[in-house]
Structures are given as structure tokens and as C-alpha cells.
Amino acid sequence: MATTHPARLPAQPGPPEPPAGTIRYWAAAKAAAGTAEEPYAARTLAEALAAARRLHEDEPEFARVLIRCSFLVDGDPVGTRDHSTVQLAEGGTVEVLPPFAGG
């Protein structure tokens, strides 16, 4: 007697995994985060920062410092661009730079 197997459907591809990289914190941001760097898995700067806020929600100073920071993504200044429009790359680096005294 032949054994019949139900037809298998091909695996449905899901959405691609978000890019993974590193967030580096400097000066007051480093102190507030309690670490110099941590990984991200996010498509945009806004997503990466939201995840970082959730990760450090028990450190209220972190959110206050982050509001005042500027950001570099892979060495390029973000400036006033909307963070949801700043795409992150696989293996990329986000630098979190609080205001520095002097100049």
C-alpha cells in the first residue's frame, strides 16, 4: 500500500530581519545608559532609540539626556532630519552625542 503525504506548502518568507549594529554612547549619555555601547536591531534611528528607551526605562536620566543629544549614523550627522526617515544599515553604528561644554 502506497503511503500518501499531504502536500507541503512552501515556507512563506516573513519580513526580513531588521539590520543589526551598535549604538555607542558618549559622556553623559554613557553615564545615563550605564554602558559605552549596546547592540541595536532596527530599521530606522527612531526604532533604535525607542528600543533603547525601553531598555533603559528604569534609568529616568537616560530619556532626559537622549532628548538633548545629537546623533551620527555611520559617521554622518543626522541633524534635524526626522529620526523615522534615517535608515540604519547592517553592521552600522549610531553615535549618541550629548552637548559638550566648550568648543
Side-chain angles (χ1 to χ4, degrees):
M1 179 189 283
T3 304
T4 58
H5 297 283
R8 289 193 174 183
L9 297 174
Q12 295 295 319
E17 292 293 319
T22 303
I23 298 177
R24 290 189 185 139
Y25 300 107
W26 297 95
K30 178 179 173 181
T35 187
E37 63 182 47
E38 59 195 9
Y40 71 73
R43 289 179 175 76
T44 67
L45 178 58
E47 289 175 10
L49 295 176
R53 283 185 193 94
R54 285 190 302 275
L55 183 63
H56 298 286
E57 66 188 357
D58 60 336
E59 299 153 346
E61 184 62 17
F62 180 78
R64 286 191 289 270
V65 169
L66 211 56
I67 290 170
R68 298 187 316 264
C69 289
S70 59
F71 305 94
L72 299 176
V73 173
D74 297 330
D76 295 326
V78 171
T80 59
R81 288 183 286 162
D82 182 333
H83 294 171
S84 66
T85 67
V86 179
Q87 299 294 309
L88 301 180
E90 182 68 31
T93 302
V94 174
E95 307 278 349
V96 180
L97 307 167
F100 293 95

